[in-house]
């Protein structure tokens, strides 16, 4: 953690996350906050008689963050303390794009158009598997332009909390009818307007409506529902909000029994966070996969850890990017023991919001990044799960990794040495 701070990893200045030990009292918490001269900004995860609170504190301006963390590490009432890291997106800047040859990431060697380095989704479609009925996926990212006509039918609508100004399901979020914006503290998952392009782009790769004669098609054409957990804003997103976003999706599954099989996490930055790893662990306990982008700095993740993809949790799938010729994308990070597989991530067309005369309208754009590779894998998880209702997170992950196609550029660079293949899903 100290090394990450010295290395200049982005974090919120003067803020720290503190996890109190189980059994710590209110007096313990007040003594620590008073001793630091800190104020409490937020309760990220409430405590109870058995579980210690996770809180976000604001230190005095200019106070040495590393020194405060070191002092707290020896306090018997503290489990851990860490910076509030900042994460950023991992992208640069008979469906039309499929039929004109642009949507290569969905092609297979037996499709028309064809590309052997695509995800082979087109072959699954040809075999009659286009729908992902009763499967839900969380998009932890920027928001989603939910009115996009190539996405609207596949956006989740919360049956447990009507838009009436009341928190009907008691989860702490009033009228979370399509999800929640943790960056802005609102139920508007498109609060960023045309700036929510990254979250909308990954959504289209997972669940763009297929067979409607326009735009793009996602790995899952229909039946699937996307839940937005927006935590990335114009300045990126923080650990505190990332933890809330992950826990929000986990709570929806455990509270209501929703068939949420995975979250898509096309973001990264900062250093190791015990708070975020704990949230990923809770998701894993709920049988939710955490599909994560390997990163875009063209480095070896075995040597230089990249979070959140480097967390060793069993429910994490880390994804590198390949080009339409099967090469490792020039920007993509890799890791023989830390990155699981490659997927299409260069020149990927998908849905975006665009600003047109002051109004937000539906559009399409080509982006590059491990951010774009990741939703191909998330879509694969949903496609597989849709016909195997009893499959565990471990089953789905094993199916994805065991069915990869050996790829020269990924040999010695990923755990599987191969690329995504959903042809048999």
């Amino acid at each position: 953690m100290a090394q990450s701070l010295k290395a200049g990893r982005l974090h919120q200045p003067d803020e720290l996350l503190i996890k109190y030990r189980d059994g710590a009292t209110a007096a313990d918490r007040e003594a620590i906050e008073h001793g630091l001269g800190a104020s409490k900004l937020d309760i990220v995860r409430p405590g109870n008689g058995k579980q210690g609170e996770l809180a976000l504190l604001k230190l005095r301006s200019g106070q040495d963050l590393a020194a405060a963390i070191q002092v707290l590490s020896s306090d018997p009432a503290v489990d851990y303390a860490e910076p509030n890291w900042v994460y950023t997106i991992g992208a640069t800047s008979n469906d039309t794009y499929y039929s004109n040859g642009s949507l290569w990431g969905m092609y297979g060697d037996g499709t028309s158009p064809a590309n052997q380095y695509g995800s082979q989704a087109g072959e699954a479609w040809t075999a009659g598997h286009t729908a992902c009925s009763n499967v839900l996926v969380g998009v932890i990212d920027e928001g989603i332009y939910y009115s996009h006509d190539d996405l609207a039918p596949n956006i989740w609508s919360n049956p447990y909390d009507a838009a009436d100004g009341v928190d009907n399901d008691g989860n702490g979020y009033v009228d979370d009818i399509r999800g929640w914006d943790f960056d802005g503290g609102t139920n508007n998952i498109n609060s960023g307007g045309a700036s929510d392009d990254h979250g909308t782009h990954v959504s289209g790769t997972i669940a763009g409506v297929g067979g409607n004669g326009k735009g793009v098609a996602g790995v899952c054409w229909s039946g699937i529902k996307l839940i937005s957990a927006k935590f990335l804003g114009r300045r990126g997103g923080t650990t505190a909000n990332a933890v809330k976003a992950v826990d929000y999706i986990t709570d929806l599954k455990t509270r209501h029994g929703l068939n949420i099989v995975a979250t898509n996490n096309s973001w990264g930055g900062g250093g190791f966070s015990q708070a975020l790893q704990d949230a990923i662990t809770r998701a894993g306990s709920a049988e939710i996969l955490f599909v994560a982008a390997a990163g875009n700095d063209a480095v070896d993740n075995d040597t230089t850890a990249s979070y959140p993809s480097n967390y060793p949790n069993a429910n994490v799938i880390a994804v590198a990017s390949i080009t339409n010729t099967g090469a490792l994308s020039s920007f993509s990070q890799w890791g023989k023991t830390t990155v699981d597989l490659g997927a299409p991530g260069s020149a990927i067309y998908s849905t975006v919001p665009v600003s047109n005369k002051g109004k937000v309208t539906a559009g399409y754009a080509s982006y590059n990044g491990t951010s774009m590779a990741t939703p191909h894998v998330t879509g694969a998880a949903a496609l597989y799960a849709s016909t195997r209702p009893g499959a565990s997170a471990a089953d789905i992950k094993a199916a994805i990794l065991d069915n990869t196609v050996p790829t020269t550029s990924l040999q010695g660079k990923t755990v599987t040495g191969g690329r995504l293949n959903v042809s048999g899903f």
Side-chain angles (χ1 to χ4, degrees), residues 297-305 333-338 412-413:
D297 291 330
V299 298
D300 185 348
N301 287 1
D302 287 2
T303 304
T304 305
Q333 289 167 222
W334 67 90
K336 185 178 181 179
T337 65
T338 53
K413 294 290 183 80

Side-chain angles (χ1 to χ4, degrees), residues 252-278:
L252 283 175
K253 182 168 188 175
T254 56
R255 182 183 294 264
H256 302 300
L258 297 175
N259 188 29
I260 302 170
V261 301
T263 59
N264 190 86
N265 302 276
S266 291
W267 45 275
F272 172 83
S273 166
Q274 188 63 58
L276 182 55
Q277 185 178 23
D278 288 349

